[in-house]
Amino acid sequence: MSGVLAAAYPTEAHERAANAITDYFASRDETDAVLLTNSCARGKATPDSCLDMQVFVPTKAVATVEEDWRRFAAESGAIAALYGAGRFSELHLDVWDGVVVPGVIDDEGFDYLEVSVGNLFVYSVPLFTRGDRFERLADEWLPFYGDELRGERLEAARWFVLDNNLERIPWFVGRELYFQAFDRFYRAFQGFLLGLHVARRTYPLAYNKWIREQVAERLGLPDLYERLPRLFELDRFESRALEAKAKELRDLVDEYVVL
C-alpha cells in the first residue's frame, strides 16, 4: 500500500469537502475505509480537478450506506462549494465493498483490473480506516497478483494487441477505412500499456494519461517512452502510414510484453 503518499489538495474547497466526507463516514460503524484516490492522492491535482474518493463498507451494508450518503451529500455545503472551485471540479465517490474481481480481455476490449488495483491499493491515500479489512483486501493483490493470473493476462494482452487489433489495420487501410484503422491502433496501444505493466509486475495508473510518468519514471523506461509519441506522428492520415506504425507497435510488443 502507499505509505509514502500524502493528500495534496489544490484548493481549500477540495480539502474541506474531503474532510467533511471523511468525518461523515468515520461516524458510521459500517465504514471500513475512506480513500483519497487519483490526482489529489498523488499531488497532481489542479483547481479544475475532480475530488476522487472510495469508501469501503461490508457488502450487506452498501445499499443502505449509499442511500444515506446521497442525502448527506445533497445537503452538504462543503460538497456544494467544491463544484465552484474550478471549471471541472466535482466529486467522484463510490460506496462499495472493495472486492476487486478480475474481468475479461476479449474482442470487445479489456477490463480495468490492474488500473483499479493500482489506484485503490498502491496510489491511494487512506484518510480513515477501521479494523484491518482494508489491509486484508490489499494483501490479496500486493505486491502483485500471482504468476498464474499474470501469465493468463499477459497472453491475453498480447492477443488483444497483435491479433485482435493490429492484424486488422492493413485490411481497414486497404478499404480506406482510415478512422477505423486508427481506432484499432489506439486500442492496441492501450493494450500494449496493459501488457507492459503486467510484464513488469507493476500496477498502472491509466492507459490514456500520465503516460510519461508511468513509462519513463515509474517503470524506468525513458528510452521506450521516447518511441511512443512518434507512433502517433503521421505525415498523412489517409495513407498507408498506419500500417508502418502498426509494425512498429508490433515490434515493441515482442520486445517488451514478454514473460
Side-chain angles (χ1 to χ4, degrees):
M1 289 176 294
S2 72
V4 298
L5 298 180
Y9 301 105
T11 72
E12 291 184 4
H14 284 75
E15 185 171 8
R16 286 197 303 271
N19 289 339
I21 291 165
T22 302
D23 289 345
Y24 170 76
F25 283 107
S27 70
R28 298 193 60 120
D29 293 339
E30 304 98 328
T31 304
D32 295 314
V34 179
L35 310 178
L36 182 70
T37 61
N38 298 344
S39 294
C40 287
R42 295 171 32 250
K44 301 287 186 177
T46 70
D48 290 327
S49 296
C50 295
L51 176 64
D52 298 295
M53 302 182 70
Q54 299 284 322
V55 178
F56 293 175
V57 301
T59 305
K60 63 183 180 181
V62 169
T64 299
V65 173
E66 184 168 26
E67 182 178 354
D68 292 346
W69 150 248
R70 292 186 183 280
R71 284 196 293 269
F72 170 82
E75 299 172 358
S76 170
I79 294 174
L82 172 66
Y83 285 78
R87 183 178 179 187
F88 305 113
S89 58
E90 57 186 17
L91 175 65
H92 293 164
L93 184 147
D94 295 316
V95 177
W96 62 306
D97 62 9
V99 178
V100 180
V101 179
V104 298
I105 300 174
D106 60 19
D107 56 354
E108 295 296 324
F110 51 84
D111 66 328
Y112 277 67
L113 169 65
E114 290 79 8
V115 168
S116 295
V117 172
N119 283 292
L120 287 172
F121 301 119
V122 182
Y123 310 117
S124 68
V125 175
L127 300 178
F128 171 81
T129 59
R130 177 183 287 114
D132 66 350
R133 185 164 180 266
F134 175 67
E135 286 75 13
R136 288 188 285 109
L137 288 170
D139 286 345
E140 295 180 15
W141 298 102
L142 302 182
F144 201 74
Y145 52 63
D147 287 342
E148 182 177 355
L149 180 59
R150 176 176 173 268
E152 294 172 358
R153 300 280 294 182
L154 196 60
E155 181 180 357
R158 284 180 56 89
W159 169 84
F160 179 82
V161 176
L162 300 175
D163 300 328
N164 189 53
N165 286 293
L166 294 184
E167 191 70 22
R168 301 171 189 257
I169 287 177
W171 179 48
F172 288 132
V173 169
R175 299 170 64 197
E176 299 184 348
L177 298 173
Y178 302 109
F179 287 94
Q180 191 167 15
F182 183 79
D183 178 64
R184 288 286 183 169
F185 184 77
Y186 190 59
R187 288 195 217 176
F189 177 74
Q190 293 186 315
F192 168 72
L193 293 175
L194 163 62
L196 180 68
H197 281 83
V198 173
R200 280 151 185 77
R201 294 180 171 86
T202 302
Y203 289 113
L205 294 166
Y207 302 126
N208 60 354
K209 56 186 175 181
W210 309 115
I211 307 303
R212 181 191 293 273
E213 176 185 340
Q214 294 185 87
V215 177
E217 299 173 20
R218 293 185 180 274
L219 293 179
L221 298 170
D223 292 340
L224 170 60
Y225 176 78
E226 292 304 317
R227 299 164 69 179
L228 300 184
R230 293 198 293 270
L231 291 172
F232 296 89
E233 296 171 356
L234 303 175
D235 293 330
R236 184 166 175 267
F237 187 77
E238 291 188 334
S239 70
R240 306 197 76 88
L242 268 177
E243 290 187 56
K245 298 298 184 180
K247 172 63 167 58
E248 292 180 40
L249 184 52
R250 180 180 290 274
D251 291 343
L252 290 179
V253 171
D254 289 336
E255 183 176 354
Y256 287 98
V257 184
V258 292
L259 281 171

